[in-house]
Amino acid sequence: MRLSISWTVLGALVLSQASSAAKIILGNDDGWASANIRETYRLLKEAGNDVIMVAPVVDNSGQGGRSVFTTSRTLVTNGEFDSVAAGQPSLGSDPSDSHIWYYNGTPAACTFIALDYVAPQIWGPNVTADLLVAGPNVGQNLGPFLYTLSGTMGATYAAVGRGIPAIAFSAAPNGGQRYYKWVNQTTQAGLKDPATISAQLTVDLVQKLIKSTNHGERILPVGYGINVNYPPITSFTNDSCINPPFVQTRMTGGAFTDKAVRNETTGLFTYANFLGEGVNRCINGDCRLPGETDVVNSGCQSAVSVFTVDYDAPLKRDTSKVQTKMLPLVSFHGGSAWKRHTEMPASVKQLESPLRHE
Ligand SMILES: *[C@@H]1O[C@H](CO)[C@@H](O)[C@H](O)[C@H]1NC(C)=O
Ligand SMILES: *[C@@H]1O[C@H](CO)[C@@H](O)[C@H](O)[C@H]1NC(C)=O
Ligand SMILES: *[C@@H]1O[C@H](CO)[C@@H](O)[C@H](O)[C@H]1NC(C)=O
Ligand SMILES: *[C@@H]1O[C@H](CO)[C@@H](O)[C@H](O)[C@H]1NC(C)=O
């Protein structure tokens, strides 16, 4: 009896034995030579992960999910911070580290280059990444409007769409876009560089997720991603915000979209923040959670929102209202009457099986 209990306990321990390392693809939109991504690369590796970085050769902020591949075999201009010279190939790796790559394309294109060209070369043809990490971005990406606009998010949801778990990280500017060689061991306040702190926070959350995942399981379910935002890190001047705790949030709530503001003198337009109703209605999320914008703006806290790339409206009264309005012009074929035109991947079929255990 005693023996069988011990074996059960041992079995449970073995089953819950999680791996602490993962195959991670790292990307961003600020570019491959920016401080935040290089510090994150360094610390992800230090934590024992197998990391491949593919990021834009120049700043690609605001590109959202656009997937733009260059039509030029070589760079027309220098890479950011003169990290690569014009005339070099449009895709290349760091001479000192064969796992660090740049590409002259948008963040989403870099995700695809990483998945379909760079990773197969390094990991072999049939090895998939366990996780894609993007960022930390220089500047926060809060709410549904920034979700579509941000290149950091674009790199992330490009991976989620491919079935790769992915997390977007965004930090306050913290002194702005900086070259990775300008990261100092300590700041004037005697603390770590904000780029190092943001990278460490990023690795803390990534390692927590990896350690909470059983061997052979996915880090996140198919179609799911996470959006993380940090408050301003104060380590240049003081220690008032150098370790912001993580808080579970939702994307809607206190979120901004844009409005167009016209300058009467020049006749030109700029944008201003607009607290739009549409980006703040809680339709899909857990409405008990605070909005990520409110959390990050209310003090030294990091916001963590779970998202999916299924943008369909949920099965709720407002959805049927819209569907009903279009009948019979737009017919309704729910349930088994509908035949698919495209074959689903086996993993998705498995999820859809009525025998699923959830
Ligand atoms: C990769 O997978 C394909 C299809 O499953 C298989 O035909 C091929 O032999 C695999 N290659 C290697 C190197 O394992
Ligand atoms: C790093 O230190 C140098 C002086 O050694 C200073 O000029 C520079 O501003 C510092 N950079 C940062 C990001 O703190
Ligand atoms: C700490 O630094 C931040 C950012 O530089 C500044 O806004 C804040 O006033 C400082 N707080 C204290 C207590 O000095
Ligand atoms: C409009 O543009 C002019 C010229 O650039 C500038 O001086 C002025 O400050 C602008 N006005 C506003 C309200 O931003």
Side-chain angles (χ1 to χ4, degrees):
M1 190 61 191
R2 189 159 184 271
L3 188 70
S4 83
I5 288 169
S6 308
W7 277 114
T8 307
V9 170
L10 185 65
L13 283 174
V14 169
L15 279 178
S16 68
Q17 184 67 57
S19 54
S20 59
K23 290 197 154 41
I24 298 176
I25 290 173
L26 179 61
N28 76 352
D29 73 8
D30 298 309
W32 81 311
S34 91
N36 284 0
I37 195 171
R38 293 298 182 110
E39 285 298 274
T40 303
Y41 176 83
R42 185 174 67 80
L43 297 180
L44 279 173
K45 277 191 69 168
E46 222 171 84
N49 298 294
D50 191 351
V51 190
I52 294 174
M53 189 188 117
V54 182
V57 73
V58 291
D59 189 353
N60 266 259
S61 295
Q63 293 287 347
R66 292 183 76 209
S67 179
V68 182
F69 299 96
T70 182
T71 53
S72 169
R73 292 160 63 107
T74 53
L75 299 174
V76 175
T77 57
N78 286 359
E80 64 180 357
F81 308 111
D82 295 329
S83 52
V84 210
Q88 289 294 303
S90 291
L91 173 68
S93 62
D94 191 315
S96 67
D97 189 333
S98 62
H99 284 222
I100 295 183
W101 290 65
Y102 67 82
Y103 176 64
N104 189 15
T106 54
C110 288
T111 292
F112 299 134
I113 295 279
L115 293 177
D116 302 320
Y117 184 78
V118 179
Q121 282 192 28
I122 295 175
W123 291 334
N126 291 348
V127 180
T128 45
D130 297 312
L131 180 71
L132 178 134
V133 169
N137 188 62
V138 177
Q140 294 153 342
N141 287 305
L142 297 160
F145 182 71
L146 274 302
Y147 174 89
T148 52
L149 185 147
S150 155
T152 301
M153 297 302 312
T156 307
Y157 52 73
V160 175
R162 286 284 294 269
I164 311 289
I167 314 176
F169 292 90
S170 300
N174 293 331
Q177 163 79 316
R178 284 183 290 132
Y179 189 30
Y180 72 96
K181 291 184 180 172
W182 301 345
V183 172
N184 292 347
Q185 291 301 310
T186 56
T187 62
Q188 281 176 355
L191 299 161
K192 284 184 176 166
D193 192 289
T196 311
I197 292 176
S198 306
Q200 188 57 60
L201 289 165
T202 299
V203 174
D204 287 350
L205 183 58
V206 167
Q207 292 310 112
K208 172 63 186 152
L209 283 163
I210 293 170
K211 286 181 179 140
S212 307
T213 303
N214 291 336
H215 185 72
E217 277 182 8
R218 298 172 53 89
I219 291 174
L220 298 175
V222 175
Y224 277 72
I226 296 178
N227 185 34
V228 180
N229 276 279
Y230 300 129
I233 301 298
T234 61
S235 63
F236 280 136
T237 50
N238 61 53
D239 66 358
S240 66
C241 188
I242 55 170
N243 193 18
F246 292 105
V247 177
Q248 310 236 11
T249 53
R250 62 190 170 96
M251 285 205 181
T252 52
F256 292 107
T257 178
D258 277 2
K259 70 179 206 179
V261 181
R262 187 167 184 269
N263 182 317
E264 295 303 335
T265 313
T266 62
L268 297 173
F269 292 90
T270 53
Y271 76 90
N273 280 339
F274 185 81
L275 200 62
E277 236 186 321
V279 289
N280 285 302
R281 179 179 177 200
C282 182
I283 298 171
N284 279 316
D286 181 342
C287 299
R288 297 167 304 176
L289 293 177
E292 57 190 17
T293 312
D294 284 334
V295 163
V296 167
N297 290 340
S298 71
C300 185
Q301 290 180 316
S302 307
V304 181
S305 303
V306 179
F307 67 85
T308 77
V309 294
D310 180 359
Y311 308 122
D312 284 286
L315 207 56
K316 283 186 182 174
R317 191 177 303 144
D318 279 356
T319 305
S320 16
K321 238 190 232 174
V322 175
Q323 290 170 327
T324 305
K325 269 191 179 176
M326 297 186 286
L327 288 172
L329 177 67
V330 181
S331 60
F332 186 86
H333 296 280
S336 55
W338 184 246
K339 286 259 184 310
R340 275 208 180 96
H341 290 279
T342 46
E343 211 30 39
M344 289 293 111
S347 59
V348 175
K349 272 190 195 152
Q350 215 170 10
L351 282 174
E352 288 184 339
S353 144
L355 291 172
R356 65 178 182 245
H357 306 283
E358 281 183 3

